[in-house]
Amino acid sequence: MRFTRRQLFTTLAVSPVYPVVIEPRWLDVSHRTVPIKGIRSPVRILHLSDLHASFFVSMSMILHAISLGLEQKPDLICLTGDYITRGDDLVPSDYAQVLQRLSKAAPTYAVLGNHDGGAWAQMFSGLPDHKNIDRLLEVSGIQLLHNRSTALTVRDTTLSLVGTGDLWNEELDAPQAFSEVGPDPVVLLSHNPDGKDMMAAYPWQLMLSGHTHGGQVIIPFLGTRYAPVQDKRYVSGLRAWGTRQIHVSRGVGNVGGVRFACRPEVTLLELVTG
């Protein structure tokens, strides 16, 4: 099933249910090759973000996204936040059963997003802190990198993974996150791509983010101007930032149940020798 942009607009005109019923569930599986110095053998990373379990994003939708991701045979799985939308969206037992599929398939690491609990989330009917999401990830066998790092060897390549707290919840602590990073190639997990400026002085080659949903609704002639980031260069896809690279996922879920010209995404990143 493939649509051109013109066909998408035509479909919307004929059927206003398209952005509510079809596109939010029409997952795109994308593949990116990322050259990085120090990679000895290819490393396949499954990047999932913004699952947003809620009334609009069912467990079956999240399970479908996970199944598509695992079909790509990743060596490593990285989750970049926003597991729920509101505080009352969390059903830990059901969610853990779904997320456990990831950790049973490959080492899985995660960071938190602005909806997962904290100062920002509490202002919008969210959780006052993220202890419930911390527990969900722990029960699911997923390692949370909250302002800390870890080193792991995949095939012949040793990587450092660094994870930060969320920017909007005012929990991004770069000095703490990078305090134990060694000389190996560094993959940084940080929910909001605007956080890159706070980490410019630290060593990393690839940053994985979400938060934007790719703009979620791409308005003709206006594009992604309403994406919730200051730097509109980093709304979706793989982009250079100087000598480094940033991958921003369009996410699996959504807020409000609508997508238009911005399909939800599952991404396989293959790190290769740079």
Side-chain angles (χ1 to χ4, degrees), residues 55-229:
F55 173 80
F56 298 107
V57 186
S58 66
M59 281 295 119
S60 62
M61 169 70 177
I62 294 172
L63 180 59
H64 178 47
I66 287 173
S67 298
L68 288 176
L70 294 181
E71 287 176 5
Q72 313 313 307
K73 306 297 183 185
D75 302 309
L76 174 66
I77 300 169
C78 294
L79 311 177
T80 51
D82 277 2
Y83 305 95
I84 59 174
T85 297
R86 294 162 49 98
D88 55 7
D89 291 326
L90 181 61
V91 182
S93 58
D94 294 345
Y95 212 163
Q97 288 184 2
V98 171
L99 293 178
Q100 283 170 0
R101 292 199 59 194
L102 295 170
S103 59
K104 289 178 179 179
T108 305
Y109 298 86
V111 294
L112 302 173
N114 53 296
H115 283 269
D116 295 324
W120 182 92
Q122 190 172 19
M123 292 190 297
F124 297 94
S125 302
L127 300 170
D129 57 54
H130 48 77
K131 62 184 180 182
N132 290 337
I133 300 298
D134 294 359
R135 178 59 179 162
L136 169 66
L137 295 173
E138 180 183 6
V139 170
S140 302
I142 296 170
Q143 186 170 342
L144 175 62
L145 298 176
H146 189 69
N147 294 317
R148 66 188 187 90
S149 64
T150 190
L152 70 158
T153 300
V154 181
R155 299 177 185 169
D156 296 328
T157 296
T158 300
L159 293 173
S160 287
L161 293 184
V162 176
T164 75
D166 177 63
L167 178 66
W168 281 11
N169 280 315
E170 300 181 350
E171 295 188 359
L172 196 164
D173 186 342
Q176 178 63 33
F178 285 89
S179 61
E180 298 182 4
V181 170
D184 302 308
V186 174
V187 177
L188 169 62
L189 282 63
S190 193
H191 177 68
N192 189 328
D194 278 344
K196 66 187 183 304
D197 300 299
M198 296 177 63
M199 295 175 285
Y202 296 91
W204 53 273
Q205 288 74 49
L206 172 64
M207 177 173 168
L208 306 183
S209 297
H211 181 63
T212 66
H213 305 174
Q216 191 167 309
V217 174
I218 308 301
I219 301 173
F221 309 111
L222 296 179
T224 60
R225 63 178 295 181
Y226 297 113
V229 286

Side-chain angles (χ1 to χ4, degrees), residues 6-39:
R6 182 175 180 178
Q7 287 172 323
L8 285 174
F9 294 149
T10 301
T11 301
L12 179 62
V14 173
S15 175
V17 300
Y18 170 82
V20 176
V21 176
I22 298 175
E23 187 163 314
R25 296 165 178 78
W26 185 19
L27 280 158
D28 179 31
V29 181
S30 57
H31 293 78
R32 316 277 185 191
T33 300
V34 188
I36 294 178
K37 290 183 179 179
I39 300 295

